[in-house]
Amino acid sequence: SVSEFVARSGGVAHGFQSGAVIKGFALDSREVEPGDLFLAIKGARVDGHDFVRDVLAKGALGSLVERPVEGPYILVPNLVEALASFGKSKRAEFDGPVIGITGSAGKTSTKEFVAAALSPLGPVLKNVGNRNTEYTSPLIWADLEPSHKAVVVEMSMRGFGQVAHLADIAQPNIGIVTNIGHAHAQMVGSREGIAKAKAELLQSLPPTAVSILWAEDEYLDTLRSYSAAPVQTFGFGNADCRITAYAPISWTECRVDGISGGQRWVAVLPSVGRHMALNAAAAIVAAQRAGVAVQDAADAMHDAVLPPMRMEVRHMNGATVILDTYNASPPSMLAAIETLAELPATGRRMAVIGEMRELGEESEEGHRAVGEALRKHQIDEILLVGPQTDVCKERGLDHARTAESLGDVTEFLKSLRPGDVVLVKGSRALELERAIEPLMETVA
């Protein structure tokens, strides 16, 4: 109800009917549904307060605002702080395991594996999609029900202090850092800055909690030094949860064998790639800590539903298209190229590689590593998208072509023949999927 939200957020309601109930929350005026409370976010270029009249016309219940507007509204001094107060108030009423997840790559896939692995306990509350910011993450607590047995919270990082803010709301008792890559390096200066920003999750944990870290991460020791809780590791090498075998079954499934805490487990995952196996191993550790039997957790991950555009398999003219355009960083790019190389293909192995943005000073090194991986795995045909990918050619990719537009990507994909496999991967801002949609049909 509006009255409950006001009490938990510290706002003051104006103009609502008695007993008014919020049906949902909307951050974008274009996505408002009848009964939604619209969050009037003041951004660098657009001020949500200017769109209040539009959302009311669409049936919005009212708006959450920092200054008076027309129609019903809840007035708060600071929108971010009000949402945090709401989330913390709801969090205080839950005493089950809360798993916080951050990292440079794999956060959302890991979140889905963790939620599935925890499902033997009962219903699990989690972020929908990638709602992992200071505006969206607190609102997952609006869906908390007495039946929920665990909560999984994904946390984004756009600079120092953001993960700490989100962790202060969620107060996790299990923390996972998937890896330290290059994403958003320009916002924190370097990979060391990324590690420090991600480690804010680990610093927030109570001593009775556990930090779950990738054993092969270059910054493992750095992360461990920040952790306020004991550390457990996952990985292919010497780790508390060790992957002992990985084998692709098809373009949509793989088998992963492992041992965790002396107990062996086998999982069949609804995706492919060694990076997905690592995400699943992190989930195994979290589920064990939360009290789920290891094989029960492994079995449950087969039912995880991974979001679109993350190693999503589609077909076109008898060819296989691997759509992984949600985002791109060097670790995820290298993992995707390795997966492209190791799975069966009767035709050509092809790749559309978009530039990786927000890497700052790490950009040249990251793109050079991608070029080396494309050469090493002998990808037959390559189309590079974006000026930063020019560095990729330094590694002897003489046969790589460069796209000047999304239309060039479409033309490249028109050349696919039965048996070919093509990986399409790049930063979200490139929207490479737009070049594909007219040509492709999603596999059911």
Side-chain angles (χ1 to χ4, degrees), residues 18-305:
S18 177
V21 173
I22 301 168
K23 293 186 177 180
F25 297 89
L27 285 73
D28 189 323
S29 63
R30 296 166 296 185
E31 299 175 358
V32 168
E33 300 286 344
D36 281 352
L37 183 70
F38 173 62
L39 276 58
I41 298 170
K42 187 176 181 179
R45 294 185 296 272
V46 178
D47 187 346
H49 294 78
D50 297 336
F51 295 87
V52 167
R53 180 176 296 178
D54 296 341
V55 302
L56 291 173
K58 292 182 177 182
L61 178 69
S63 305
L64 180 65
V65 298
E66 295 178 346
R67 66 172 186 262
V69 294
E70 65 180 284
Y73 62 89
I74 299 172
L75 181 64
V76 296
N78 182 286
L79 200 146
V80 170
E81 292 178 3
L83 292 172
S85 295
F86 170 78
K88 291 170 72 172
S89 173
K90 293 283 286 184
R91 166 63 179 99
E93 297 173 0
F94 182 73
D95 59 5
V98 176
I99 296 84
I101 301 173
T102 193
S104 295
K107 292 186 295 296
T108 303
S109 296
T110 300
K111 176 202 70 182
E112 296 299 334
F113 282 135
V114 169
L118 292 169
S119 64
L121 295 175
V124 178
L125 178 64
K126 62 182 181 181
N127 305 68
V128 176
N130 66 321
R131 296 180 181 177
N132 55 17
T133 71
E134 65 270 33
Y135 297 107
T136 54
S137 186
L139 292 175
I140 71 168
W141 296 98
D143 296 323
L144 183 68
E145 299 286 348
S147 61
H148 282 124
K149 301 301 182 184
V151 180
V152 186
V153 183
E154 178 183 341
M155 302 177 184
S156 68
M157 186 281 287
R158 288 279 176 176
F160 293 118
Q162 185 175 26
V163 172
H165 174 78
L166 297 177
D168 183 55
I169 298 167
Q171 299 174 38
N173 38 48
I174 298 173
I176 299 174
V177 178
T178 57
N179 49 60
I180 300 301
H182 301 72
H184 309 314
Q186 66 185 35
M187 299 177 182
V188 290
S190 64
R191 289 187 72 193
E192 288 74 15
I194 294 171
K196 182 178 180 181
K198 301 292 186 183
E200 290 171 3
L201 168 60
L202 311 180
Q203 291 175 302
S204 76
L205 298 172
T208 55
V210 63
S211 295
I212 301 173
L213 307 175
W214 179 30
E216 289 89 23
D217 199 307
E218 293 178 55
Y219 289 87
L220 173 63
D221 290 341
T222 300
L223 293 172
R224 191 190 297 271
S225 70
Y226 281 113
S227 180
V231 170
Q232 288 190 285
T233 58
F234 63 93
F236 281 93
N238 183 22
D240 296 306
C241 181
R242 181 167 57 91
I243 298 170
T244 58
Y246 163 81
I249 298 172
S250 68
W251 281 104
T252 57
E253 282 189 336
C254 68
R255 170 175 165 149
V256 184
D257 294 44
I259 183 168
S260 182
Q263 300 181 57
R264 296 191 175 277
W265 54 270
V266 178
V268 176
L269 305 179
S271 187
V272 291
R274 296 175 187 275
H275 56 310
M276 289 294 182
L278 287 169
N279 297 340
I284 288 286
V285 181
Q288 274 189 294
R289 177 74 178 193
V292 181
V294 65
Q295 190 56 50
D296 288 347
D299 290 340
M301 286 191 294
H302 184 263
D303 296 327
V305 179

Side-chain angles (χ1 to χ4, degrees), residues 256-390:
V256 184
D257 294 44
I259 183 168
S260 182
Q263 300 181 57
R264 296 191 175 277
W265 54 270
V266 178
V268 176
L269 305 179
S271 187
V272 291
R274 296 175 187 275
H275 56 310
M276 289 294 182
L278 287 169
N279 297 340
I284 288 286
V285 181
Q288 274 189 294
R289 177 74 178 193
V292 181
V294 65
Q295 190 56 50
D296 288 347
D299 290 340
M301 286 191 294
H302 184 263
D303 296 327
V305 179
L306 300 182
M309 298 188 293
R310 291 169 173 86
M311 298 302 284
E312 179 183 350
V313 177
R314 300 188 181 187
H315 286 302
M316 185 176 72
N317 298 331
T320 300
V321 179
I322 309 300
L323 185 62
D324 196 5
T325 59
Y326 180 75
N327 219 331
S329 63
S332 67
M333 190 73 84
L334 299 180
I337 293 169
E338 181 181 30
T339 301
L340 172 65
E342 69 182 4
L343 279 157
T346 57
R348 298 167 295 173
R349 299 180 196 274
M350 306 165 66
V352 176
I353 301 297
E355 63 185 1
M356 301 174 288
R357 297 184 177 178
E358 299 182 343
L359 301 187
E361 295 180 358
E362 308 286 342
S363 178
E364 188 170 319
E365 176 188 346
H367 285 92
R368 189 172 289 116
V370 169
E372 174 63 26
L374 291 166
R375 184 198 62 78
K376 172 185 173 184
H377 292 295
Q378 301 179 340
I379 305 305
D380 298 312
E381 295 195 24
I382 302 164
L383 184 67
L384 303 175
V385 185
Q388 295 184 73
T389 59
D390 288 345

